[in-house]
Amino acid sequence: MAKKESTGGTVKVRLVKGLRGSQAKHRLSVKALGLGKLNDVRELKDSPQVRGLINKVHYLVQVEE
């Protein structure tokens, strides 16, 4: 059985670029992160799933650890 990696902690994500003109899948990823408007900030649990969403839309968000 695979060992679960516990990263603990949280990560702050800020939407720094508007969604207009971005791909539909990327807009859905931003919405999944809980961000809606420009300069919205969410504090999320640091997990591989969240990191994957952030990597997908890295050009739209800023990570504040």
Side-chain angles (χ1 to χ4, degrees):
M1 191 166 175
K3 188 194 300 188
K4 287 187 177 181
E5 190 173 315
S6 176
T7 55
T10 59
V11 61
K12 284 187 179 181
V13 183
R14 178 186 302 266
L15 185 62
V16 294
K17 189 174 178 187
L19 299 176
R20 190 168 184 178
S22 63
Q23 295 180 14
K25 286 185 178 182
H26 292 191
R27 286 193 295 267
L28 290 174
S29 295
V30 169
K31 190 171 184 177
L33 288 169
L35 304 170
K37 294 184 177 181
L38 201 58
N39 290 320
D40 271 357
V41 178
R42 281 289 306 262
E43 191 166 341
L44 304 165
K45 185 177 177 184
D46 194 6
S47 68
Q49 294 83 4
V50 170
R51 287 290 179 170
L53 287 171
I54 292 171
N55 286 336
K56 191 171 197 176
V57 294
H58 64 89
Y59 63 99
L60 297 172
V61 298
Q62 177 182 12
V63 177
E64 304 166 358
E65 294 188 54

